[in-house]
């Protein structure tokens, strides 16, 4: 099978690494890719925002499966366009990608199908949103409806913060994404991420993970795209997983199909495990980054037939096998991230990959044959071990062998799970 992978982050490096191990693979192309992905795929420069360009490449090169990493091309309709051309595509249609593209869409779906989530209202005017927030009181959560690069959510602990967040949204702080606002009840509990493959009808549970969104040790400082993650999430016991499938994932897949938008691809559920059980915080319609890196380190099964089955409606009866160990990844970012940072800083050396640890590239580039950092999040140093503490040790040992002056990382990824392990 010839495969084209779309994307250039650590998530796509992990997918490329795993797909490249498949005995079914005859060629792997990646657009645009990065220097890490180049070790397991042929990089091609394509305008991935132009479906006609992507489908022409597939026809000319005999590509029969396209795997889309990030959400933006999905929300823009890349999967619809490729499927119209008869090219199997891993990733949802634009209509199904609204599960990530519109928080209001997802909340309405939850309401229609009885899926547990915080009580909410949708607003298109500040005055009404403010009146609702005043009536409900704090803590309360204010969200820009659309894609806001992870920045459109305010968990307001005071009424003042909530009112200010409403003004920010309607004043254009998040552009078009903030033209509608969702206000929802604050959910108290422990967060976990849960991933399933879906083929429109069937859902195959993959695994759970927990991430660290804040930039600083002890989960302090501004939010980021994620500074590290580990899998499995200890809070996702077999019972919680069963309940999540039954109460959240399966009704979503049935509801999306009944509404005429069958969901194909990976469904990434952000959950709050509350005193009542699992409740949905949000959906994403792609693998998490860096959560994908820890999932791929634990996946024993061949990934390629699973992605192909999700893309072609044949997931029924398939299973995925996982290593029991913990995988943990630490993000190394450019100093200054998530604010401004220097670009093109040299990465002089990286530790060699082995059976325990592995470096996935995110924001790297090759300039005159030298590796440089070009992004905010640059490297994902990932390790597996029988315990969380062991995976944490192995990841930080590998980090200490990275020679990159302008890089930094959190030193405490996995701290909650390590503390739980020791208790
Ligand atoms: P989201 O972009 O929707 O995942 O929200 C970003 C983060 O805000 C989540 O990972 C949670 O930590 C937090 N959050 C979102 N919605 C809620 C909620 N209803 N209650 C508590 N925290 C929330
Ligand atoms: N790490 C969070 C995300 O990919 O959305």
């Amino acid at each position: 099978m010839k495969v084209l992978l779309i994307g250039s982050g650590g998530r796509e490096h992990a997918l490329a690494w795993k797909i490249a191990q498949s005995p079914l693979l005859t060629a792997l192309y990646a657009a645009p890719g990065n220097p890490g992905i180049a070790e397991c795929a042929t990089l091609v420069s394509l305008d991935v925002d132009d479906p006609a360009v992507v489908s022409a490449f597939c026809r000319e090169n005999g590509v029969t499966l396209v795997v889309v990493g990030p959400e933006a091309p999905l929300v823009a309709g890349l999967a619809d366009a490729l499927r119209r051309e008869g090219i199997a595509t891993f990733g949802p249609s634009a209509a199904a990608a609204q599960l990530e593209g519109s928080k209001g869409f997802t909340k309405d779906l939850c309401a229609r199908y009885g899926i547990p989530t915080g009580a909410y209202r949708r607003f298109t005017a500040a005055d009404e949103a403010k009146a609702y927030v005043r009536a409900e009181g704090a803590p309360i959560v204010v969200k820009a409806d659309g894609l806001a690069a992870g920045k459109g959510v305010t968990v307001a602990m005071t009424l003042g913060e909530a009112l200010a967040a409403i003004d920010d949204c309607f004043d254009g702080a998040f552009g078009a994404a903030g033209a509608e606002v969702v206000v929802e009840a604050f959910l108290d509990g422990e967060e976990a991420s849960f991933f399933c493959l879906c083929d429109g009808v069937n859902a195959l549970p993959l695994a759970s993970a927990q991430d660290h969104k804040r930039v600083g040790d002890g989960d302090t400082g501004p939010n980021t795209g994620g500074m590290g993650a580990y899998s499995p999430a200890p809070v996702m016991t077999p019972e919680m997983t069963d309940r999540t499938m039954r109460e959240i994932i399966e009704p979503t897949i049935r509801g999306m199909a009944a509404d005429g938008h069958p969901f194909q691809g990976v469904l990434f559920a952000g959950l709050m495990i509350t005193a009542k059980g699992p409740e949905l915080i949000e959906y994403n319609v792609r693998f998490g980054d860096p959560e994908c890196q820890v999932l791929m380190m634990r996946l024993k099964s061949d990934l390629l037939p699973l992605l192909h089955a999700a893309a072609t409606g044949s997931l029924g009866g398939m299973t995925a096998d996982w290593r029991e160990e913990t995988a943990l990844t630490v993000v190394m970012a450019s100093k200054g991230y998530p604010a401004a940072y220097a670009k093109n800083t040299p990465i002089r050396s990286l530790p060699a990959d082995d059976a325990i640890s592995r470096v996935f590239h995110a924001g790297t580039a090759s300039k005159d044959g030298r590796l440089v950092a070009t992004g905010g999040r640059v490297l994902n140093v990932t390790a597996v071990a029988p315990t969380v503490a062991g995976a944490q040790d192995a990841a930080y040992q590998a980090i200490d062998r990275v020679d990159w002056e302008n890089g930094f990382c959190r030193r405490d990824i996995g701290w909650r799970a390590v503390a739980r392990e020791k208790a």
Side-chain angles (χ1 to χ4, degrees):
M1 196 184 311
K2 293 188 177 177
V3 178
L4 170 65
L5 172 67
I6 309 271
S8 64
R11 165 180 54 209
E12 287 77 21
H13 187 187
L15 291 171
W17 169 69
K18 195 65 195 160
I19 292 170
Q21 293 167 43
S22 174
L24 302 175
L25 185 76
T26 50
L28 178 58
Y29 301 99
N34 67 34
I37 297 173
E39 288 167 16
C40 36
T42 305
L43 303 195
V44 288
S45 133
L46 291 178
D47 179 1
V48 299
D49 296 325
D50 186 343
V53 169
V54 178
S55 62
F57 176 84
C58 293
R59 272 195 309 276
E60 284 156 22
N61 294 278
V63 167
T64 52
L65 177 68
V66 176
V67 177
V68 185
E71 65 278 17
L74 296 168
V75 173
L78 179 62
D80 306 72
L82 294 175
R83 282 199 272 267
R84 270 199 302 274
E85 297 285 321
I87 301 163
T89 304
F90 179 80
S93 65
Q98 288 180 89
L99 281 178
E100 176 162 359
S102 165
K103 298 195 187 287
F105 174 90
T106 299
K107 299 296 276 187
D108 288 352
L109 180 96
C110 290
R112 246 187 339 275
Y113 295 104
I115 296 165
T117 187
Y120 75 105
R121 287 267 304 273
R122 302 174 71 164
F123 297 96
T124 51
D127 288 353
E128 290 157 31
K130 287 182 180 173
Y132 180 73
V133 159
R134 284 198 184 91
E136 294 291 312
I140 196 157
V141 183
V142 176
K143 300 183 174 183
D145 178 73
L147 291 181
K151 298 188 182 78
V153 173
T154 303
V155 179
M157 300 316 284
T158 65
L159 189 58
E161 276 176 79
L163 297 174
I166 291 169
D167 280 332
D168 279 351
C169 286
F170 288 116
D171 288 349
F174 310 110
E180 183 175 332
V181 166
V182 173
V183 179
E184 73 179 49
F186 173 78
L187 298 173
D188 199 10
E190 185 168 346
E191 277 188 71
S193 300
F194 185 67
F195 297 84
C196 292
L197 291 184
C198 308
D199 69 358
V201 176
N202 303 290
L204 171 67
L206 292 179
S208 64
Q210 272 169 314
D211 73 344
H212 293 265
K213 285 205 172 71
R214 303 298 189 109
V215 76
D217 283 8
D219 295 323
T220 55
N223 266 330
T224 69
M227 295 301 291
Y230 52 95
S231 172
V235 69
M236 287 303 282
T237 57
E239 189 222 338
M240 275 312 152
T241 302
D242 283 352
R243 285 190 61 183
T244 301
M245 287 305 292
R246 228 175 27 247
E247 297 171 18
I248 298 180
I249 305 293
E250 284 163 7
T252 298
I253 296 303
R254 280 197 301 273
M256 291 294 283
D259 293 350
H261 319 301
F263 185 90
Q264 280 179 289
V266 59
L267 191 57
F268 162 0
L271 304 173
M272 190 70 86
I273 309 304
T274 69
K276 286 192 287 183
E279 298 199 41
L280 183 71
I281 298 178
E282 63 156 2
Y283 276 130
N284 297 305
V285 300
R286 34 91 193 163
F287 280 106
D289 190 346
E291 291 89 335
C292 184
Q293 289 80 314
V294 286
L295 259 50
M296 293 305 116
M297 289 289 268
R298 289 188 56 225
L299 180 62
K300 286 200 283 194
S301 309
D302 187 351
L303 178 65
L304 187 51
L306 292 170
L307 298 180
H308 188 258
T312 55
S314 46
L315 260 186
M318 294 192 79
T319 54
D321 290 331
W322 299 88
R323 297 171 67 156
E324 295 290 327
E325 291 109 313
T326 292
L328 182 143
T329 188
V330 180
V331 171
M332 291 196 77
S334 294
K335 285 178 187 163
Y337 174 81
Y341 51 83
K343 291 202 173 168
N344 297 317
T345 59
I347 301 171
R348 295 206 167 79
S349 75
L350 294 177
D353 295 334
D354 58 29
I356 293 168
S357 73
R358 173 164 301 281
V359 178
F360 294 113
H361 291 230
T364 67
S366 178
K367 289 251 156 69
D368 307 322
R370 300 224 172 114
L371 191 66
V372 295
T374 50
R377 294 188 298 164
V378 172
L379 300 169
N380 309 138
V381 182
T382 313
V384 268
T387 61
V388 190
Q392 190 191 50
D393 271 356
Y396 283 109
Q397 277 175 33
I399 291 248
D400 291 339
R401 300 202 302 276
V402 173
D403 184 359
W404 172 35
E405 250 163 58
N406 199 50
F408 80 97
C409 65
R410 281 183 56 166
R411 298 297 315 190
D412 65 344
I413 297 303
W415 66 271
R416 267 199 197 83
V418 170
R420 193 188 291 234
E421 216 166 51
K422 286 192 183 134

